[in-house]
Amino acid sequence: MLPARKKMSQKNNLNLLKIKRAFLFIFCLSFFLVPSQNWYSVVQANALPPLIQEINIDLPKIAFYPVNLEKEPLPFLTARSFVVVDKDSFALMAGRNENLRVLPASTVKVMTALVALDNYHLDDILTVGELEDNGQDIKLLPGEKMTFKNLLYGLLVASGNDVALVLAQNYPGGMLTFVKAMNQKAEDLNLTHTYFANPTGLDSDPQGNLLTDLSYTSALDLARLAAYALKNQLLLEIFSTRSVTITDVEGKIKHKLENINELLNYFPGMKGVKTGFTQEAGECLVGYTEQDNRGIITVVLGSDDRFGETVKLTNWVFENFRWTNLTPSIENQPLGQNQ
C-alpha cells in the first residue's frame, strides 16, 4: 500500500507543477497579447539628441574649366617639349613631351627662390663670398652685404648665377645642404621628373666642359612649380618686374637689373615667370599670362624662339578656349529628365 500511495503523491506533485508552469506562461503571455497601461508593459524612453560633431572646413571653390570650342590646330613649334595649363584648375590645355626629362637651364631658379624663402627673412643681410665666373650674373662683389629681398630681385629679374650661389653659400650647411633642400621640396611638390644638381641650372663649367652631375626637369613639372610659386604675392611682383635698381645695405653699391623676359615689355597680360638658356638646354621660358580675368601657365623648353613661340601658344589658347563651369546643376534641367 505504501509504495502505491507514494507513487500517487509524486504523480499529483508533478501535475501540480505542470499547472503552475502553465499558469505562469499564460500570465506572462497576457502582457504581450492584452493591451494595458501597467508598469510591466510600458517601456519609457527619452529621445536623446544625435551625436553630431561640427567640423569647420573650407569647401573648395567651384573652378571654371577651359574648353576648346574653336578646335583650331596648334601652331607649329620648334620646342622639344611644352605645356599650357590653366592656373586655377591646372587643367592641361595643350602639350608635347610634357613629361620628357630635359635640361632646365635657369628655370631652376624658381626653386632656388622658394627654398631660400623657406629659410631667410626678407630683411636678413647676406654676405657675398668668393665667386668664380659663372656666366650670367649681376656683378656682386666679394664682401658685399645685401638684404635677402634685394637678392631675390637679382636672382629672378636678372637671373644672376652669382646671386644663386650666395643664397646657397649662406644657407645653414652650405651648398650641398641647399641643393638637398631643393630636391626635398621637389619631392614635396610631387615633381616626379625633376632633379637639381645645383642652384643655378648651369650644365657646364666656366671652361665649357659638360658637368657630370646635371639637373633635369619636365615641362609639366615646371608648370606645377610655377603654379605653386605664383601663390606668393612677392614672387609674382618680382616675376613681373621689368627693371629695378638694387643696392647693398649701405646704398653705396648699385646694381641696375633688366628682366630677361622681353615679353614683359610688349605682350599684353604677361607677368613672368622665368627664362633660361644654355647651349645644351636651348631657349627656355616659363610664362604666366592673364587675359580676360583668366590666367594660363606656358612652359617652352628647348626652343629656337622661346618668346615668339610663347606668344603663339598664348594667342592660340585665348582665341580657342572658353572657361566654363562644369559643375552639374538641376536648375536648368527639364522636370523628369535624368542625365
Side-chain angles (χ1 to χ4, degrees):
M1 291 294 292
L2 290 176
R5 288 182 180 180
K6 186 177 181 180
K7 192 173 183 180
M8 181 64 70
S9 176
Q10 291 176 347
K11 185 175 181 181
N12 291 338
N13 290 338
L14 182 60
N15 290 335
L16 182 60
L17 181 60
K18 289 181 179 179
I19 292 172
K20 289 181 179 180
R21 288 178 175 175
F23 178 77
L24 181 61
F25 174 76
I26 295 172
F27 177 76
C28 293
L29 187 62
S30 66
F31 285 104
F32 297 96
L33 302 179
V34 179
S36 60
Q37 292 294 325
N38 55 65
W39 186 86
Y40 295 100
S41 62
V42 176
V43 177
Q44 296 181 349
N46 296 322
L48 296 176
L51 297 176
I52 299 176
Q53 181 180 0
E54 294 186 1
I55 301 177
N56 295 321
I57 59 174
D58 294 327
L59 295 176
K61 296 180 180 179
I62 297 175
F64 285 78
Y65 286 85
V67 179
N68 189 342
L69 299 179
E70 302 300 326
K71 306 295 184 181
E72 292 293 328
L74 272 165
F76 172 76
L77 303 177
T78 63
R80 188 178 182 190
S81 62
F82 71 86
V83 294
V84 184
V85 299
D86 175 45
K87 172 180 173 287
D88 293 330
S89 66
F90 207 73
L92 180 63
M93 305 168 77
R96 180 173 69 213
N97 297 331
E98 54 264 29
N99 288 316
L100 180 67
R101 295 178 176 182
V102 296
L103 297 174
S106 285
T107 61
V108 306
K109 289 169 183 165
V110 177
M111 180 62 84
T112 303
L114 290 172
V115 170
L117 278 166
D118 289 340
N119 180 72
Y120 300 117
H121 296 99
L122 294 179
D123 57 356
D124 283 349
I125 298 174
L126 281 66
T127 302
V128 179
E130 293 295 329
L131 299 172
E132 296 181 358
D133 179 21
N134 282 282
Q136 179 73 25
D137 59 30
I138 67 168
K139 309 302 180 186
L140 290 174
L141 302 176
E144 184 175 353
K145 298 180 183 297
M146 186 175 291
T147 64
F148 169 56
K149 184 177 181 179
N150 279 356
L151 288 169
L152 273 179
Y153 277 90
L155 177 75
L156 298 173
V157 173
S159 196
N161 291 330
D162 49 354
V163 178
L165 293 175
V166 168
L167 294 175
Q169 290 171 354
N170 282 268
Y171 191 82
M175 179 76 67
L176 292 179
T177 306
F178 188 90
V179 174
K180 183 178 179 180
M182 292 175 68
N183 286 305
Q184 181 59 56
K185 198 166 189 69
E187 183 178 338
D188 295 341
L189 296 177
N190 198 31
L191 309 184
T192 56
H193 298 281
T194 294
Y195 165 75
F196 298 110
N198 57 59
T200 62
L202 289 172
D203 46 45
S204 60
D205 62 22
Q207 290 73 43
N209 302 311
L210 196 65
L211 300 177
T212 56
D213 189 16
L214 297 172
S215 301
Y216 60 78
T217 189
S218 70
L220 192 57
D221 275 5
L222 281 178
R224 288 193 183 99
L225 182 62
Y228 179 82
L230 287 168
K231 296 176 183 179
N232 186 302
Q233 194 60 38
L234 174 62
L235 289 183
L236 177 57
E237 176 186 318
I238 296 175
F239 291 149
S240 58
T241 298
R242 298 179 183 180
S243 64
V244 66
T245 298
I246 61 175
T247 68
D248 68 338
V249 292
E250 296 181 352
K252 296 180 179 180
I253 305 174
K254 297 182 180 181
H255 303 271
K256 183 173 177 54
L257 311 177
E258 297 289 340
N259 203 311
I260 300 175
N261 185 356
E262 299 174 3
L263 298 183
L264 293 172
N265 298 317
Y266 66 84
F267 190 63
M270 174 60 65
K271 296 181 179 296
V273 171
K274 188 69 192 73
T275 59
F277 172 78
T278 67
Q279 292 294 335
E280 296 294 331
E283 296 187 19
C284 306
L285 177 60
V286 180
Y288 173 59
T289 308
E290 289 182 355
Q291 292 182 15
D292 301 324
N293 296 319
R294 303 297 177 193
I296 63 169
I297 297 170
T298 55
V299 180
V300 173
L301 301 175
S303 169
D304 292 339
D305 180 12
R306 56 186 171 181
F307 299 123
E309 295 191 347
T310 295
V311 169
K312 284 183 181 180
L313 267 180
T314 304
N315 286 338
W316 175 81
V317 166
F318 286 109
E319 289 170 1
N320 285 272
F321 283 78
R322 300 294 179 270
W323 276 255
T324 305
N325 180 3
L326 299 182
T327 304
S329 172
I330 64 173
E331 294 180 0
N332 299 322
Q333 293 186 22
L335 291 176
Q337 179 175 337
N338 294 323
Q339 293 186 349

